[in-house]
Amino acid sequence: QVQLVESGGGLVQPGGSLRLSCLVSGNAFFSARAVGWYRQAPGKEREFVAIISVSSITSYADSVKGRFTISRDNATKMVYLQMNSLKAEDSAVYYCNAANSPGGSPLFRWGQGTQVTVSS
């Protein structure tokens, strides 16, 4: 059974930085899948943030391009999201998930997420 465990969220001032981490445990064939980050703000649908392919090709939502960086470590089954120059509109619960390809749908049951709040 695959479990997704996100961490690293918190309260940060506008312009600040956070680094999110996600462990993809269980039989997820991590090294053979794209892994990505998604977020959901109150009253809104969950949206795509960033994804990284098996060959480490990255793709980002326009709203975070140039500010966020996704990375992965296949040995530890971890995926990271470095978030810089944070804005109030980045506030949301952040989730990770895996997909068969960068354009594919998330495969696994969502984890609990990690809350990011950007506020002065």
Side-chain angles (χ1 to χ4, degrees), residues 8-105:
L11 173 64
V12 63
Q13 292 186 342
S17 298
L18 280 174
R19 188 191 192 212
L20 306 184
S21 301
C22 171
L23 172 64
V24 182
S25 66
N27 191 17
F29 299 102
F30 182 87
S31 62
R33 301 196 192 276
V35 283
W37 286 94
Y38 307 79
R39 67 187 181 187
Q40 187 169 21
K44 295 187 177 181
E45 296 288 321
R46 186 155 21 211
E47 64 177 4
F48 164 78
V49 175
I51 198 159
I52 184 166
S53 73
V54 170
S55 55
S56 294
I57 295 172
T58 57
S59 179
Y60 298 91
D62 287 344
S63 59
V64 307
K65 210 171 285 185
R67 300 187 298 121
F68 291 11
T69 303
I70 188 171
S71 60
R72 65 188 294 164
D73 184 337
N74 289 340
T76 58
K77 298 184 180 180
M78 295 289 292
V79 58
Y80 303 97
L81 187 69
Q82 177 66 42
M83 306 188 296
N84 299 328
S85 302
L86 283 161
K87 305 175 181 180
E89 51 263 43
D90 295 318
S91 296
V93 179
Y94 283 71
Y95 303 87
C96 67
N97 214 313
N100 285 326
S101 68
S105 299

